Amino acid sequence: MANIKSQKKRIRTAEKARMRNRAVRSELKTLVKHVHEAVEQGDADAAKAAASRAYKRLDQAAAKGIIHKNQASNRKSGVQKLVNTLN
């Protein structure tokens, strides 16, 4: 454990950020999973709606630095390829 006051605070704030980032990453996985489920059921409208929600959250996560912007782009591309299989 650190003895320096600023380092103790830094440890606390880093832990809060870690927990928040973990929650967002988990949400991203869930949103992509919803797209997978809609595609498996063959429901094009539900898949497009789920993809739209996933795009928005992926962009927000990239903007906040939770995931890299290229990672967000790659995930969006994968989701779109899934949705395009229904057309």
Side-chain angles (χ1 to χ4, degrees):
M1 184 65 189
N3 291 322
I4 299 165
K5 189 173 183 179
S6 62
Q7 187 59 35
K8 289 180 183 179
K9 180 179 179 182
R10 199 65 208 131
I11 289 169
R12 286 194 311 269
T13 58
E15 180 63 15
K16 287 178 190 174
R18 186 183 75 85
M19 296 303 288
R20 190 167 45 243
N21 292 346
R22 191 171 74 169
V24 171
R25 285 192 202 106
S26 175
E27 181 187 12
L28 293 176
K29 291 176 190 174
T30 302
L31 290 170
V32 172
K33 186 173 75 172
H34 290 178
V35 176
H36 280 273
E37 290 169 355
V39 169
E40 286 176 7
Q41 293 173 358
D43 190 352
D45 292 335
K48 287 178 184 174
S52 179
R53 286 192 297 275
Y55 294 157
K56 182 176 180 180
R57 295 300 288 162
L58 283 164
D59 286 336
Q60 286 176 343
K64 290 179 184 266
I66 296 169
I67 61 174
H68 194 274
K69 65 185 180 100
N70 291 353
Q71 177 68 265
S73 181
N74 288 338
R75 291 188 193 190
K76 284 167 60 177
S77 173
V79 166
Q80 188 60 50
K81 282 181 183 176
L82 270 174
V83 173
N84 287 345
T85 60
L86 293 175
N87 295 336

